[in-house]
Each structure stands twice: as structure tokens, then as C-alpha cells.
Amino acid sequence: MRLRGNNPFASVVGQVPVLLLVLGLLSAVEAAKVNKHKPWIETTYHGIVTENDDKVLLDPPLIALDKDAPLRYAESFEVTLTKEGEICGFRIHGQNVPFEAVVLDKSTGEGVIRAKDKLDCELQKEHTFTIQAYDCGEGPDGANMKKSHKATVHIQVNDINEYSPVFKEKSYKATVIEGKTYDSILKVEAVDADCSFQFSQICNYEIVTPDVPFTVDKDGYIKNTEKLNYGKERMYKLTVTAYDCGKNRASEDVLVKISVKPTCKPGWQGFNKRIEYEPGTGSLALFPSMHLETCDEPITSIQASIELETNHIGKGCDRDTYSEKSLHKLCGASSGTVELLPAPSSSANWTVGLPTDNGHDSDQVFEFNGTQAIKVPEGVASTSLKEPFTISVWMRHGPGAHEKETILCNSDKTDMNRHHYSLYVHNCRLILLLRQEPSEAENYKPAEFHWKLDQVCDKEWHHYVLNVEFPTVSLFVDGTTFEPFLVTEDYPLHASKIDTQLTIGGCWQENSGHDNDTEAVSEPAPGGNARMAQFFRGNLAGLMIRSGKLENKKVIDCLYTCKEGLDVQLPEEVASAVKVEFNPNQSSLTVEGDDIDAFDKVMQHISYLNSRQFPTPGIRHLRVSTTVKCFNEETCVSVPDAEGYVMVLQPEEPKISLSGIDHFARGATEFESQEGVTLFPELRIVSTITREVEADAEPEAVEGAEDDPTVQETVVSEEIMHNLDTCEVTAVGDELDGEHESLEMDLAQLQQRGLEMSSSNLGLVITGVNTMANYEQVLHLIRYKNWHTEALFDRKFKLVCSELNGRYISNDFKVEVNVIHTANPMEHANNAMVQPNFINPIHHSSVDLSGHNLVNAHQASVVPSAATIVIVVCVSFLVFMIVLGVFRIRAAHQRTMRDTESGKENEMDWDDSALTITVNPMETYEDQHSSEEEEEEEEESEDGEEEDDITSAESESSEDEDGAEPEDQQAASRQQQLEWDDSTLTY
């Protein structure tokens, strides 16, 4: 029995009599009731549940009805005495059903279905089972309980996007052929473990790797976006990812490797594009592993052209950078060559204002920009050329304006405008103007010779040699002969006494009144205004003129020949199967043959050679052009050009060192003698290079030394031999005065060694390419002479030697020569009067090394005759004392020797048994005085006598006097005393 109402139970207890009456009535009615009806539920239910959630949403809701349920007749109070009509629960039928049904309200029959555990859509998307409702039965013990029919329940599990796409393969590989475009190279595929269609579908693929020529579509197909090249990339590695329709990215990206397989392309294989050349290593094979691939095409002939580009090196290639005059001599040209464009120096300074290439690694060239010209000083070259003669020049010229551009011009200096001879360029033509000098026969003679040449305007370096043997003129361009296509005639010049002016880069001519805005040289001249005209635009180098001599073809070829080029040593087995041809300067060669194997062997033996000891560093581009012929011309292969470069490394820079005696003194008579004074008697020329080598290590420490940062490299100096081309001796301070001094040497010795000498008031310059040993011998012969040494105390000179036209320069070796002035014998009665020339009065703090102050002091002194007698007596006494002191010193020395033999060595005693004592005029007076005091102290210790005013010079002078030598012999003896005799000196 259940009591239900709004009032509390306590109030019911308060109305006990009433309740007892009601209970009695109810008991009577209850006895008459029974559980007649079954609960009722729907026949089918459909539910939805989200995975990872337990609440099921049913349609229709789960409600069980029972007709046995009592009517509700009171709103605020109801008493149910029986359980009929109440729903006590729901029962689910099925195996492993992960759901349970729960009654929420027994009286209304409302219930819910919920999951026992978390559901997984990926394991089971739908669940179907049956359910029954049952009431509470009859009586307190629930007897006669009724069940409803079984209803079917369908529950669908909804998915959430909990999984990311996963690729089926760990990596993908594919191979493609270069040069082909594919619609599909391969397919990548990813799957998603989510159960729903939305979250389990892959909606997009993406290539993560940037800048690759591939793309992928939404189905995973990868294709290339451009034709692939095996030479550019042999394998591509791509990273690909996938996205599902819920925008979840794959948990791990996948690696895709696409290999590019080369198609059979005809061409050279095994070609190294960069080839490094170490100077001094001889020939270097350019293509040691190269071979020609023809893709099995039947070939009838092969022709290959190998070109070495050296136009940017020097004057078209690497050549010796000696002066042009030296090069002519090296090539065997006879003497008499005059260099008109020498490198700027103290003796040749007319090219100082011209712009140059500012480089010493290769040839020095001069630039003419159309506003500059130079005048050659008078006396450098003969202005009137005698036949035959030769003009040679290196020139680089482009297609200039349609005006005359003068290379070399000899014209009237004043008054008139006549051009005696000139070499100029006009409209890509090289023209030589040669006007004959006045003669008795006033007939037409050839005056202008014209050559039309492509080389004049191609902006490349070319070597031009004009051999003039009137009336014929021969032109050699890069060693090839060209005949003039046009020769014009003219009358000889009229006789005149006007001087001529030799110019380069323009022509000196009388100003006709028209201004030239571009002229760079303007100079007034007697008789009117003169100016430069017909300026040259381009580069010139090595302009030479030789009067009276004719160059032969052998010399011309030698001047043009390069020191670098291509070379090939043909193997004997293929020499007959392949034909090889070179161009004149060996910058290109052609190989022809029909056997591929023999052709490959020849190509592998082609080498680069640079015979210079110090080559010009830099890049030389290399190109191989190949043409093949096949049996079937339509399908014949085409071989592309192979390009690379030779890198000539920087050579080790030599350090030229000059050493020897840099300070000495000679008597004035030697300077005035016929032989003079040798400036560099013991000069030594040494050239060294420094190399970095790894320091020697112990054998057990060698292993792993490469990884040890503490391993240091040692710099090693190595002596090398090479040539010199210039040595210059210049006077330091005042210039040489030709009236009383000069630098001379034996010209026969110079000519014997093929050297030349030029002298000026600055000094002398020795030029010519020769060994360092020969230069050493020649420099030993340089003598300095001075005829007036009265006022000369010292003279300083500087020696500098160089190699390769100033590319490598030695140190400045400076020599100071002191003049020792001796007394005139006619002015003194005896040698005692000469003594003041070697010492100073006691009040002087120092003495000049050359003795000049002493000479002046002596010349100003006058000694009376009585004083002379007194001085002689005093000197005689001093001589006696000196002899006695020397005797005592020798006795002490003998005692010292005995003590040494017995083991008692005294370090303060001098062993002067083999010592010759002479006066050194290079020492200061203080040094002499201190040494004298030490000798006097030694004498004091032996005999107890004190001699404070005696010097070694006085002693020797007195001894000479006692010896009664003739006065001329005395003067020579005093001069010999000015040098140390160390031949018997022991240290």
C-alpha cells in the first residue's frame, strides 16, 4: 500500500479515526481487483547515438502503457493501494547488446535506452535488438507480472572525425625517361579509418616539396609539368600528403622517388668542365676520360674542332712580357731596334701620361681614346728612315669613325704640314704613307700603300710587321703575308730645313685656323700654332722601328708565337687512322677520322701546355664542336658542343733579393783613378718562393691529423732560378754631374752577354733578358769615378732589378761610399803631420765617418818650425814608450799562454799573436778612444806607468816614421791602414 498526497505523514497520523475508516473501505474494494492487462509499447524504434557518447535518441520515445493503471481522481492527494498498471522495467533481448533500457517513471511508463560503454563506429555502425516492457504484477511480491510484446530497435552509431589519412605504402618509386611528358607517372593512395563516408574519404592530395616539376590530382595521380633532363637532375624526391573530407591531414607524409632515366643522347661523355692547370707542370690532358656517344648510329666520319679562347689574355694569348726590344733580341733579331712605346721609366718617360692596362701579369698595353697622342723625344729614333727598314706593332682596333686614325707619324715640326711618313688606319684599311726625300729626278714614285683587312676592325689583337724595301712593301699580319691592293704615287718632297716631329697616336701638324674640340695636346711652336690631329682610337703595344735592317720570316713568327696552346701526342696505333691539324698559334685544332675508338683515344691525348715559368693566371674557355656523318643522313645524330674552361692557377711569386756590402770607404785617389771604385764588389742576387707544407708528424700521430685543428702548416722558402730583364742603378740625392763624375762599366762584357746599357744624369740602366748569374757578374763591373773629390765626402746609390718588364721587382739595395781624404805629401815635413786626419781634438764629441771635418781642420792649421822640432822630440819619446809597452804586452801574453796550458785561463787577456792592428776609419772617435784607454790600462797593470794621451794611430805613425820609409810609400801605407786585415783574426 502506498500513501501519496501533499500533506505530511504527521498530519495523517493526527486523523487516525478517519484513516481507519478509509482503510476499511479500500480493503473491501482491493479484494475485488486483479492484474488483467499487458503493458503496451511501439513495435519498432529507430535510434541514433554518437560514438564516444552513451545517450540514444529514439524515435518514437520509449513509453510503455498499461490499462490496469488507476485513474487519478485527486490532484493533491492520491493513495494507490495496489501496483497494477505500473511499469517496473524494460528488458533487451539479444547477444552482446551494448545497450541497456532504464525506466524513468514507473507510473507513466517512460524509459530511455543508453550505451553501456563507449561505442566505436569503426567496429559497428548499426545495432538491432528487441525490447519488452513489463509491469509490476500483483500484490507486494509482484505476482502475476505481465510483459508487453517484443519491439524491434534499430540504433545507428554516428561517426566523428577521429582518424587521419594513412598512406598504404611507406614510400613510392617510379622511373621516367627524360624528355617525355607523362599523363600519370604513378598513383599514391591513402585511407582513413573513420566509418562515415564524409570522414573516411580522401578529398585531396598535395606535394609538399616546393619548386619541383610535378603535380598530383585529387585521386593521387602524379605527373610531370615539364620535360625532365637527366643532366640537370637524376632523381627527384617528393614529399606528398593527403587530406580527408573533414580536412584532417595525413598523420605522416609519404616520400616519392622519381628517377630520371637518360635517353640515349649523342654527345661527349666524361667531360670535366673545370680543368685546373698548375704552372710549371708541363702538359695537362684536357679530356682523359672523354668518349663520344653515338647511340649505336652507324657513323661514316667524325670531325671535331677544339678551340682554346685566349683573346682576353695579354695580346691574344699568353706570351713573355719582356720589353719588345728584349723579345726581338730573344727571337734572334739583329741590333738596332728602337722601342717607341716602352714601359714608363726614368730613362723613357714619354709614355707616362698614357692609360695602360694597369697589370703586370700579362703584357702592358697602351690605350688611345681619340684625344691623346704622345711625342717621341728627339734622338730616340732616326726621323729619316734609311732603306730598308721595318715597322712592327701590336694593335687592337674596332670599326671606328670614317676618319684617319694615326698610329705613327713623322711630320714637319713648324711652318708646314708635310707628312714625311706615317702609318694610319682609315675605313678598315691599313695605310703606309712614305714620301721620298728630295732628289734630282722629280718623278712620280710610290707614296701610299693600302691594305684592306678584316683584322683592322675586328676588335682583336693582331701583330703587324711592315718590311719596307722600296719600292716594295710587305705586310705580315699574325705571320701571314698580305700584298697591298692599292699603291698610289706622288712627287718627292721639296727640300727644306724644317725639323720633323715623330708622334704616336696622332699627327703633329700646322693649325689651319679650325678648332678641334677633341684635341688633347696643344702646344705653341715657332712660326705659328701647331696641334695634334688624326687621333687613334684603340690599343697599341710593342711599337718598334728598325732602320737599315730587314726582319726575316723566322723572327716574325717567333714574335707572334704564343707560349700557351693545345698539344697532342698521337698514339702509334691510331696515328694513321686520325688526322690532326693545328692553326698557327695552336689555339685550335681539328681532328678527323672514321673510327670512334681511335677518335676517342686521340681526344684523350689532347693537352694544354703553357711554357712560361710565370704564366698569366685566369680562365681560358674551351669548346669542342663536333660534326658526324651517317649512312642514313635523315636519321644522323647531332652532337651538341661541349664547353668548359682551363683555370690557370696563380704561380708562386718569386722574391728577388739583392744583398752585399752596403757601406764602405775608399781613398780619394781610387775615385780619381782610371779604374774608379767598384760599387757592388760582393753583390749576390737570389730569388726565392715560399710554399706552405704540413709540418712533419710522428707516424702514430699521422692518422687522424686531417681532422685535428691543431695541425699547422709550415712555410718553406725555396730558391729558384729565373731570368732578369732590367737592373737600374740610380744616384740617391743629387743627380750625377757629368763634368766630374760618372758610372762606367765594360761595354765589351755587356755585349758578350747580350745586354745593353743606357746612362743619364740619374744613373744607368742595364736591359736584356739574361740569367741572374750573368747579371750578377755584370753588376760587379760597375765603377764610380769622380775627378774632383775635394768637396766629396760620401755618395749613395740604389740598385733595383726586375723580371718580366716590372712584374717582379727586387728590394732596393742601397750602397753608401765614403771618401777618405789623405794629406798632400808636399805640404808636410813628415808623416806625423798626417795624424790629425784620423783623430779629433779632445774637445770634439764625435768624428765624421768619412773624415771630412779632419781634412778641413788640417787645411786650416799652420805649424811653426820650432814647434815642429818640439813635436818631433815628443813623438820620439812617445815612440819609445809605445815600444816598451808593446814589449810588456807581449811578455804578459806569453805568461797568459803558459797559464792557459796549465789550466788557469784568464778571460781578460788578449791572444794577439796572429792579430794585425790597423786603423778603421769607419769607427767613431769615442770607440777609438775607449779602445786606446783599455790598451793603456793593460800596460799600466804590467809596468805601472800611465800613458793617457797615446793612441794607436799615433803609435803606428811613429813606428812608420822610425822605419824611415819614403814619403810615397808612407802615403800608401796609411791608406792600407784604413782597412781591417782580418785574414788571420780568430774569434
Side-chain angles (χ1 to χ4, degrees):
M1 181 181 66
R2 182 178 59 183
L3 302 177
R4 188 181 293 183
N6 292 329
N7 294 327
F9 183 74
S11 61
V12 175
V13 175
Q15 298 176 1
V16 174
V18 177
L19 288 176
L20 292 175
L21 179 61
V22 173
L23 288 174
L25 294 174
L26 290 176
S27 298
V29 176
E30 190 69 21
K33 294 252 182 142
V34 293
N35 188 14
K36 298 181 179 181
H37 300 90
K38 298 178 180 180
W40 179 88
I41 57 176
E42 298 288 344
T43 59
T44 304
Y45 293 91
H46 294 275
I48 298 175
V49 63
T50 302
E51 62 179 344
N52 298 331
D53 191 7
D54 61 351
K55 186 177 180 180
V56 180
L57 180 62
L58 287 176
D59 182 28
L62 180 59
I63 298 175
L65 301 178
D66 194 333
K67 293 181 180 180
D68 293 329
L71 297 176
R72 296 183 181 183
Y73 54 84
E75 295 180 3
S76 59
F77 179 78
E78 178 182 352
V79 177
T80 304
L81 300 178
T82 62
K83 296 186 288 187
E84 289 83 3
E86 289 185 352
I87 304 300
C88 277
F90 296 94
R91 183 172 298 169
I92 294 176
H93 301 277
Q95 292 182 353
N96 300 325
V97 177
F99 296 95
E100 63 180 357
V102 180
V103 177
L104 296 181
D105 190 340
K106 292 183 178 182
S107 62
T108 61
E110 183 180 359
V112 293
I113 297 177
R114 60 190 181 190
K116 296 178 181 179
D117 298 313
K118 290 184 178 180
L119 300 176
D120 191 349
C121 176
E122 288 72 28
L123 296 178
Q124 188 171 349
K125 295 177 62 175
E126 293 183 354
H127 295 269
T128 302
F129 54 88
T130 58
I131 189 173
Q132 278 183 316
Y134 58 92
D135 56 20
C136 294
E138 302 173 358
D141 54 357
N144 196 21
M145 180 183 60
K146 301 288 187 184
K147 298 179 181 179
S148 70
H149 62 276
K150 292 182 179 180
T152 303
V153 180
H154 300 281
I155 298 178
Q156 178 179 346
V157 181
N158 284 350
D159 188 22
I160 61 174
N161 196 9
E162 58 182 330
Y163 292 99
S164 298
V166 176
F167 285 94
K168 290 185 175 181
E169 303 289 342
K170 291 184 178 180
S171 63
Y172 293 86
K173 296 181 180 180
T175 301
V176 297
I177 300 176
E178 65 173 345
K180 184 178 180 181
T181 302
Y182 290 83
D183 293 332
S184 175
I185 297 175
L186 78 160
K187 180 183 180 181
V188 294
E189 186 176 359
V191 295
D192 196 313
D194 288 313
C195 63
S196 63
F197 179 82
Q198 176 185 2
F199 297 142
S200 63
Q201 294 297 310
I202 306 299
C203 286
N204 188 28
Y205 291 92
E206 181 182 343
I207 297 177
V208 181
T209 306
D211 302 327
V212 290
F214 299 94
T215 185
V216 59
D217 60 15
K218 62 183 181 63
D219 296 324
Y221 291 100
I222 297 177
K223 63 181 181 180
N224 55 323
T225 57
E226 62 183 44
K227 294 182 179 180
L228 305 179
N229 189 343
Y230 176 80
K232 181 179 179 181
E233 191 70 42
R234 299 186 179 185
M235 176 181 287
Y236 291 90
K237 295 181 179 180
L238 317 177
T239 302
V240 180
T241 190
Y243 294 90
D244 61 19
C245 295
K247 298 184 178 180
N248 262 9
R249 181 173 174 171
S251 56
E252 290 186 5
D253 300 336
V254 71
L255 177 64
V256 178
K257 296 180 181 179
I258 300 178
S259 300
V260 181
K261 184 179 179 180
T263 57
C264 184
K265 286 186 176 181
W268 291 105
Q269 306 292 331
F271 175 62
N272 191 2
K273 292 186 177 181
R274 177 186 171 93
I275 304 149
E276 291 187 354
Y277 181 78
E278 183 75 24
T281 56
S283 297
L284 174 66
L286 296 176
F287 320 112
S289 303
M290 191 168 72
H291 66 278
L292 181 63
E293 176 62 61
T294 59
C295 297
D296 299 328
E297 185 72 23
I299 304 296
T300 58
S301 67
I302 311 170
Q303 179 179 349
S305 176
I306 299 91
E307 297 180 6
L308 182 71
E309 296 182 4
T310 59
N311 294 335
H312 60 290
I313 303 296
K315 299 189 291 287
C317 66
D318 209 3
R319 297 181 174 89
D320 283 330
T321 57
Y322 297 116
S323 66
E324 199 68 22
K325 191 173 184 178
S326 298
L327 290 175
H328 275 68
K329 186 168 293 187
L330 288 175
C331 289
S334 56
S335 60
T337 301
V338 178
E339 191 172 5
L340 300 181
L341 281 176
S345 65
S346 58
S347 59
N349 57 1
W350 63 87
T351 59
V352 172
L354 286 177
T356 65
D357 61 349
N358 296 323
H360 292 287
D361 288 344
S362 57
D363 299 325
Q364 187 178 50
V365 301
F366 296 92
E367 179 183 357
F368 293 84
N369 57 13
T371 62
Q372 293 172 313
I374 59 172
K375 295 188 294 183
V376 180
E378 294 182 5
V380 174
S382 175
T383 55
S384 59
L385 297 178
K386 297 180 181 179
E387 300 174 11
F389 67 89
T390 302
I391 299 176
S392 65
V393 65
W394 285 93
M395 181 178 70
R396 179 169 60 186
H397 181 265
H402 299 288
E403 299 176 357
K404 292 182 179 180
E405 299 181 39
T406 301
I407 301 171
L408 178 68
C409 179
N410 185 36
S411 58
D412 289 334
K413 199 169 188 178
T414 58
D415 297 333
M416 302 181 70
N417 242 359
R418 299 179 305 170
H419 294 183
H420 294 251
Y421 63 86
S422 68
L423 180 65
Y424 62 93
V425 174
H426 187 210
N427 290 335
C428 294
R429 298 180 182 183
L430 184 67
I431 301 171
L432 173 66
L433 171 66
L434 183 62
R435 299 291 301 276
Q436 294 299 306
E437 297 297 327
S439 61
E440 296 180 358
E442 296 292 331
N443 299 327
Y444 274 106
K445 292 185 177 181
E448 279 191 343
F449 300 85
H450 296 247
W451 292 270
K452 190 172 183 179
L453 304 168
D454 295 334
Q455 292 89 333
V456 173
C457 296
D458 64 358
K459 295 183 179 181
E460 300 291 344
W461 280 106
H462 297 284
H463 187 232
Y464 301 84
V465 176
L466 287 132
N467 278 333
V468 179
E469 196 169 14
F470 199 78
T472 62
V473 178
S474 300
L475 172 66
F476 294 86
V477 181
D478 299 337
T480 304
T481 307
F482 290 87
E483 296 296 332
F485 79 97
L486 176 64
V487 178
T488 60
E489 297 181 343
D490 201 348
Y491 282 108
L493 295 173
H494 297 291
S496 68
K497 296 183 179 180
I498 302 174
D499 293 334
T500 60
Q501 176 66 60
L502 185 62
T503 57
I504 301 172
C507 210
W508 186 261
Q509 66 181 31
E510 181 75 10
N511 193 347
S512 59
H514 300 286
D515 294 333
N516 185 2
D517 295 336
T518 62
E519 75 178 30
V521 180
S522 181
E523 181 179 316
N529 294 327
R531 65 182 178 90
M532 288 285 188
Q534 301 176 6
F535 290 104
F536 180 78
R537 294 176 177 84
N539 298 98
L540 297 176
L543 180 57
M544 306 286 296
I545 191 167
R546 173 181 282 114
S547 179
K549 302 294 181 181
L550 182 66
E551 294 283 9
N552 58 45
K553 184 67 166 55
K554 183 178 179 180
V555 174
I556 295 172
D557 292 340
C558 175
L559 292 173
Y560 175 70
T561 301
C562 296
K563 292 294 184 179
E564 65 175 342
L566 300 174
D567 191 20
V568 61
Q569 299 294 332
L570 292 179
E572 295 182 0
E573 63 272 15
V574 299
S576 59
V578 178
K579 180 181 178 182
V580 180
E581 293 182 354
F582 287 89
N583 70 334
N585 61 359
Q586 291 190 319
S587 63
S588 67
L589 62 86
T590 302
V591 183
E592 294 183 7
D594 54 5
D595 188 321
I596 296 180
D597 293 336
F599 203 91
D600 288 343
K601 289 184 178 181
V602 172
M603 294 293 292
Q604 292 169 5
H605 283 78
I606 295 176
S607 60
Y608 169 80
L609 175 64
N610 195 317
S611 60
R612 293 190 64 192
Q613 186 176 8
F614 306 106
T616 303
I619 291 176
R620 278 77 163 164
H621 289 283
L622 196 64
R623 179 182 293 106
V624 180
S625 303
T626 310
T627 303
V628 298
K629 293 182 179 180
C630 309
F631 288 102
N632 188 349
E633 294 295 336
E634 296 181 357
T635 61
C636 193
V637 295
S638 177
V639 180
D641 293 349
E643 295 184 357
Y645 62 91
V646 178
M647 172 61 74
V648 179
L649 303 179
Q650 181 77 33
E652 299 288 347
E653 183 171 346
K655 180 182 179 181
I656 306 173
S657 301
L658 308 179
S659 60
I661 300 176
D662 58 357
H663 195 176
F664 59 90
R666 294 291 183 269
T669 55
E670 289 192 36
F671 289 91
E672 298 175 355
S673 65
Q674 184 67 26
E675 291 79 12
V677 174
T678 303
L679 287 183
F680 312 106
E682 298 183 13
L683 177 71
R684 181 111 197 274
I685 305 176
V686 177
S687 182
T688 58
I689 58 174
T690 56
R691 302 179 185 273
E692 290 186 355
V693 297
E694 291 187 1
D696 294 337
E698 295 297 330
E700 59 271 9
V702 172
E703 186 175 356
E706 296 180 357
D707 301 328
D708 188 359
T710 62
V711 175
Q712 297 181 353
E713 292 185 343
T714 304
V715 178
V716 177
S717 180
E718 177 183 344
E719 184 174 346
I720 62 171
M721 301 299 296
H722 58 77
N723 292 330
L724 297 177
D725 61 355
T726 303
C727 280
E728 184 174 2
V729 181
T730 56
V732 178
D734 297 335
E735 296 180 356
L736 294 174
D737 189 347
E739 294 183 359
H740 65 265
E741 62 179 342
S742 67
L743 290 173
E744 298 180 359
M745 66 180 308
D746 190 351
L747 296 179
Q749 294 288 339
L750 277 178
Q751 294 175 358
Q752 181 180 351
R753 292 169 174 81
L755 300 176
E756 295 183 1
M757 183 191 73
S758 61
S759 59
S760 66
N761 58 348
L762 299 177
L764 61 85
V765 180
I766 303 173
T767 57
V769 180
N770 216 314
T771 62
M772 293 188 295
N774 281 337
Y775 263 94
E776 221 176 71
Q777 296 173 5
V778 168
L779 292 172
H780 289 168
L781 303 176
I782 297 178
R783 305 182 304 275
Y784 171 64
K785 298 174 64 176
N786 194 305
W787 301 277
H788 301 285
T789 59
E790 293 81 1
L792 180 66
F793 302 143
D794 58 54
R795 205 66 164 102
K796 297 179 181 179
F797 297 92
K798 181 179 71 173
L799 172 64
V800 178
C801 296
S802 64
E803 162 71 334
L804 294 174
N805 207 14
R807 179 176 175 182
Y808 303 118
I809 303 176
S810 73
N811 60 308
D812 293 349
F813 180 65
K814 295 182 180 179
V815 173
E816 180 178 349
V817 183
N818 296 117
V819 182
I820 304 172
H821 295 275
T822 57
N824 191 343
M826 298 301 296
E827 296 180 0
H828 304 284
N830 52 51
N831 289 334
M833 301 304 299
V834 185
Q835 178 204 344
N837 290 323
F838 304 103
I839 62 172
N840 271 345
I842 194 66
H843 62 271
H844 284 191
S845 60
S846 62
V847 67
D848 189 80
L849 291 177
S850 59
H852 307 144
N853 297 334
L854 302 177
V855 174
N856 294 335
H858 169 72
Q859 291 174 351
S861 65
V862 177
V863 182
S865 59
T868 303
I869 297 173
V870 174
I871 292 174
V872 170
V873 174
C874 294
V875 169
S876 300
F877 177 76
L878 293 176
V879 168
F880 171 74
M881 298 302 298
I882 291 172
V883 172
L884 179 60
V886 172
F887 176 79
R888 296 298 299 273
I889 292 173
R890 291 186 177 274
H893 169 67
Q894 293 175 0
R895 287 195 299 271
T896 303
M897 293 297 294
R898 288 195 297 270
D899 294 339
T900 302
E901 293 173 359
S902 63
K904 299 178 181 180
E905 181 179 0
N906 188 349
E907 296 178 356
M908 299 303 296
D909 289 335
W910 287 93
D911 178 11
D912 58 354
S913 60
L915 178 63
T916 302
I917 301 176
T918 60
V919 176
N920 184 3
M922 300 306 296
E923 293 183 349
T924 62
Y925 172 73
E926 290 84 357
D927 296 338
Q928 295 176 353
H929 186 64
S930 62
S931 63
E932 292 163 5
E933 288 180 348
E934 291 175 1
E935 292 177 1
E936 290 169 0
E937 289 174 2
E938 291 177 0
E939 294 174 8
E940 253 180 359
S941 64
E942 297 295 329
D943 57 33
E945 296 181 6
E946 211 175 351
E947 298 293 341
D948 295 335
D949 300 328
I950 297 177
T951 64
S952 61
E954 290 174 337
S955 302
E956 293 169 359
S957 299
S958 301
E959 291 174 354
D960 292 342
E961 183 181 5
D962 291 342
E965 292 178 359
E967 291 182 357
D968 54 347
Q969 294 180 359
Q970 292 174 359
S973 175
R974 284 193 299 271
Q975 183 170 337
Q976 292 175 358
Q977 291 172 2
L978 296 176
E979 297 182 4
W980 285 100
D981 180 12
D982 58 356
S983 61
T984 60
L985 181 61
T986 60
Y987 294 90

